[in-house]
Amino acid sequence: VQLQASGGGLVQAGGSLRLSCAASGRTFNSYSLGWFRQAAGKERELVAAITWSGGSRFHADSVKGRFTIAIDNAKDTVYLQMESLKPEDTAVYYCAADPRLFIRPIGRGIEYWGQGTQVTVSS
């Protein structure tokens, strides 16, 4: 199983980025996918999550209205569109997949992880 994350980078405050996570290696029909982030010195947190069908979504309060998670089942890819980025969004972002991802707010017990991608927002 592989979760291939991409799309991080350096952006100025107020800018936008889109993260992508391509899933492969198994059937994910019963899984939810999501994005966690971990800033330096802080605990990992769930930023956004979506069921494989796309029927349920979660966005953390800190990103609600600015970030949007979406899934393209034809491409087995989940996206995180990030708008109006703030310096406090700076972190390593990780894609994850787990049947109970919605109830794992700090990522403990997550079954599959992608590699991290750095997002840096300059002020």
Side-chain angles (χ1 to χ4, degrees):
V1 174
Q2 187 174 22
L3 300 177
Q4 184 66 45
S6 61
L10 172 64
V11 64
Q12 289 188 331
S16 302
L17 283 173
R18 188 176 78 159
L19 305 183
S20 300
C21 175
S24 62
R26 66 159 297 147
T27 301
F28 287 93
N29 288 4
S30 62
Y31 281 67
S32 295
L33 275 75
W35 292 93
F36 290 80
R37 70 183 180 187
Q38 188 163 23
K42 294 189 176 180
E43 191 174 53
R44 183 172 53 201
E45 62 172 342
L46 178 61
V47 174
I50 189 167
T51 52
W52 188 255
S53 68
S56 295
R57 306 184 192 201
F58 163 84
H59 295 87
D61 287 344
S62 58
V63 305
K64 206 168 287 184
R66 300 188 297 119
F67 291 12
T68 303
I69 192 168
I71 192 165
D72 184 338
N73 294 121
K75 297 182 178 180
D76 291 345
T77 299
V78 63
Y79 302 97
L80 186 66
Q81 181 67 42
M82 305 186 292
E83 307 282 351
S84 302
L85 283 159
K86 303 176 181 180
E88 51 264 43
D89 295 318
T90 295
V92 179
Y93 285 69
Y94 296 91
C95 178
D98 190 272
R100 299 179 176 83
L101 190 142
F102 278 69
I103 60 170
R104 303 190 189 280
I106 60 172
R108 194 167 295 164
I110 289 290
E111 187 168 354
Y112 300 116
W113 289 101
Q115 87 283 11
T117 185
Q118 177 72 46
V119 172
T120 303
V121 184
S122 62
S123 57

